[in-house]
Amino acid sequence: MRLSVTARIALLSIGLALVSNLVLVGFVWKRTDAVVIGTVRRETIEQSDAMRSIFHVGGLPAVVEAIGHARAAGDTSLLIAVLDRHGARIAGTIPGGLDLPLTPSLFRIADLDSHRATGDIGYTLRPIGHYWLLTGRRLDLVEAERRAIEGALVVAVLLSLVLGIGAGLVLARYVGIRLNRIAAVIEAAGEGDLSRRVPVAPARRDAFDRLANQLNLMLGKLERLMVELRLVTDSLAHDLRSPLTRLRTKTEQAVLIADPATREAALGGLLAETDLVMRMLTMLIEISRSESVSRDRFILVEPAELVEEIAELYEPVAEEAGFVFTVAIDASAPAMLLHRELLSQAITNLIDNALKHASNGGRLTLRLVASPHEIAIQVEDRGIGIAEGDRAQALKRFGRLDAARTTPGAGLGMALIEAVARLHNGRFELADNAPGLIARIVLPA
Amino acid sequence: MSRKILIVEDDSSTAAYLAKGLSEAGYSVESARDGRDGLFLASEGIFDLVIADRMLPGLDGLSMVSAIRAAGIATPVLVLSALAAVDDRVDGLKAGADDYLCKPFSFAELSARIEALVRRSDRAATEPTKTRLAVGDLEIDLLARHVTRAGRSIPLGAREFNLLEFLARHAGQVVTRTMMLEKIWNYHFDPGSNVVDVHIGRLRRKLEDGFPSPILHTVRGAGYRLAADPA
């Protein structure tokens, strides 16, 4: 049989209440017994000592007389007697049918279970002269207390059952309600509705609230990712459609061209289109990979050397494109742990963007700036720049500023730069070069 | 005797396409469908080159390459993979591969790389230390880092010299743009713009201006070739 969580919580709390009550009452029972028996033992031995002292002074007659006095006091549970060497009673009283082993004992409990009327006795048996002295007490009192406690035990068990059921039901209902609220949100998320959140009381901060908060944060992130994924998929489909359509049309045309030279030229165009698609896909992979690269890929790099190398690669390219290319490197930049390849790629993307978008030429500067806490690698152009309101859009994956997507490129370059900056715990910023754009990768030193 | 190439690829259409292309290019080709068979065949040491996919059943490509190297077999290995990120390439080369090419690839790129690898291992066996390279009337002194053409000295920058040396070491073969980016600049990514073309253009002007015949040829859709004859 499978029980619901609430039923299990209720059962557990009932069980726990029961066990704790049993342990508590059992402890009291045991302790009371020990205290009462201890008292009887002390009294019995004291009585025995007193009688022996009397025997030493006055002999047997004095003891018989003392027994008479003691019995006259009216304490019916008290036992005191003198026995001869065979165990026959000479003076005092003992319960009928009592058959004790005639060996000296300081304190013993005789089990008189077969004589229910009299009950157990605790006694001391010691020799006096040629006789035995028996002192003791009936343990009815102890038994009575024991029975009272046992009665209390039964009541406690019954009470704990009732209270346990009550507490268990209340607790189970409380836990159940709160868990169900969380479960309902998770179930909705499982069915595709990521917009629901678990209600959280602002003042209260218990474990359920923490769980709910974490779940809400996770759902929020998941929802954002889903939106982004949908956007990326849509954009990817859109951006792939154009080059693939061109590819298809050009292939169709190329098939029909009879002249070998013209056909070859058309095929060259096809290759260029294919390469564009491939570059787009590679860039996408790099972006998603750079968001989860492990730190063991990082190596110690001199940023000045890295920037110098890239400058050397791009200087002729920039000059051929009609730019005045300058490099300004702050040599005080310290060696840092960097992902050399990805950072190089990000910087070449910066330059590529500037070459593409500031196509009117002018001054193009690659600059490495070092400050005590961070370094910045920036490319400054004199193009038309990006208006402040458009900058966030420019950093998005597939985020392109011409909605019709007429300029070449997939709108992935900046997204990669941003991903690489984030990978290094840095940031990517766009600023105004008045006129033109400053695109800057800032990394913590 | 034709060169023997082992293709380890589980995708049958890719394997067939490769085998067809390479056979037409004059290589003798054998194929294996999974990593264990590939390792077994490669261990015979009779191949001039192994082309291995990365994601293989049985034993993955990189483990296979590591095992080949651990067995002391020096046959050049080219890894062919759809895992195209920078780190994937670095992993491949670290595992012992000599070259790494990403899918989808162009056949021109693949043949240029194969030719370079096969030639290099030949040369390593026959002429280990060469201090001078000559292509037609072009002479390169690798020790003095000095270049002359038809006896006339051509001053080159350090990077230009490295570029020319790389082209000369593969004289007569096609060298692609990505091969140059990888070997000269150590960049395992595509910078997008025409950086290599610009550098080649500068080098070409220095090598050809004032000389009657061209020596650095553009191979359309593929790359460049340093050779005395245009073919």
Side-chain angles (χ1 to χ4, degrees), chain A residues 264-265 271 278-279 282 285-286 289 293 297 309-310 312-314 316-317 319-320 339-342 344-345 348 352, chain B residues 83-88 90-91 94 104 159 185-195 198-199 202 205 220-221:
Chain A
E264 202 176 308
L271 281 177
M278 270 162 59
R279 241 200 316 277
T282 310
I285 293 169
E286 288 292 356
R289 276 303 200 80
V293 169
R297 299 286 186 181
E309 241 179 61
I310 293 169
E312 189 205 28
L313 177 66
Y314 270 90
V317 182
E319 279 169 9
E320 293 222 345
H339 193 301
R340 196 178 185 286
E341 285 271 338
L342 281 175
S344 304
Q345 191 172 2
T348 59
D352 249 14
Chain B
L83 297 175
V86 165
D87 287 337
D88 296 323
V90 174
D91 284 344
K94 270 193 191 157
R159 199 72 73 171
W185 284 278
N186 196 23
Y187 287 157
H188 293 269
F189 59 86
D190 180 1
S193 56
N194 55 340
V195 277
V198 171
H199 284 269
R202 295 203 156 192
R205 278 198 291 281
R220 234 168 78 179

Side-chain angles (χ1 to χ4, degrees), chain B residues 89-204:
Chain B
R89 292 162 176 256
V90 174
D91 284 344
L93 298 173
K94 270 193 191 157
D98 298 87
D99 206 348
Y100 195 104
L101 187 58
C102 299
K103 290 178 183 173
F105 54 89
S106 82
F107 204 82
E109 182 79 43
L110 178 70
S111 9
R113 283 170 188 269
I114 289 174
E115 216 178 311
L117 284 173
V118 170
R119 244 332 160 81
R120 196 179 64 197
S121 67
D122 277 3
R123 255 203 322 273
T126 54
E127 39 180 286
T129 48
K130 217 174 179 192
T131 59
R132 298 179 78 81
L133 297 171
V135 180
D137 56 357
L138 186 73
E139 289 208 15
I140 305 166
D141 183 337
L142 297 175
L143 290 180
R145 293 178 74 81
H146 182 242
V147 178
T148 57
R149 189 171 179 196
R152 204 195 311 164
S153 170
I154 300 175
L156 292 181
R159 199 72 73 171
E160 285 170 334
F161 185 87
N162 292 347
L163 195 54
L164 179 63
E165 180 187 340
F166 183 62
L167 286 161
R169 283 191 184 278
H170 298 97
Q173 295 170 228
V174 176
V175 176
T176 67
R177 291 172 183 81
T178 37
M179 284 164 79
M180 285 184 259
L181 278 168
E182 285 173 13
K183 304 291 179 197
I184 312 294
W185 284 278
N186 196 23
Y187 287 157
H188 293 269
F189 59 86
D190 180 1
S193 56
N194 55 340
V195 277
V196 176
D197 300 309
V198 171
H199 284 269
I200 287 281
R202 295 203 156 192
L203 178 64
R204 175 183 277 151

Side-chain angles (χ1 to χ4, degrees), chain A residues 114-182:
Chain A
S114 52
H115 310 270
R116 291 213 54 92
T118 48
D120 294 352
I121 62 166
Y123 69 94
T124 297
L125 187 64
R126 290 154 111 186
I128 44 170
H130 299 296
Y131 312 100
W132 291 98
L133 173 68
L134 175 83
T135 55
R137 188 175 278 281
R138 288 201 177 89
L139 294 177
D140 313 22
L141 187 70
V142 182
E143 305 264 313
E145 277 174 21
R146 212 178 255 173
R147 273 194 296 280
I149 292 172
E150 279 165 2
L153 204 63
V154 172
V155 173
V157 167
L158 287 175
L159 266 179
S160 71
L161 268 177
V162 172
L163 289 177
I165 288 171
L169 287 176
V170 170
L171 190 67
R173 194 172 153 69
Y174 175 73
V175 172
I177 287 173
R178 300 202 62 186
L179 277 182
N180 278 337
R181 269 189 218 147
I182 294 173

Side-chain angles (χ1 to χ4, degrees), chain A residues 10 12 56 69 76 118 120 131 143 184 255 274 326 361 368 388 394 408 436:
Chain A
L12 188 67
H56 286 307
H69 286 304
T76 53
T118 48
D120 294 352
Y131 312 100
E143 305 264 313
V255 167
T274 319
T326 51
L368 170 65
E388 201 172 339

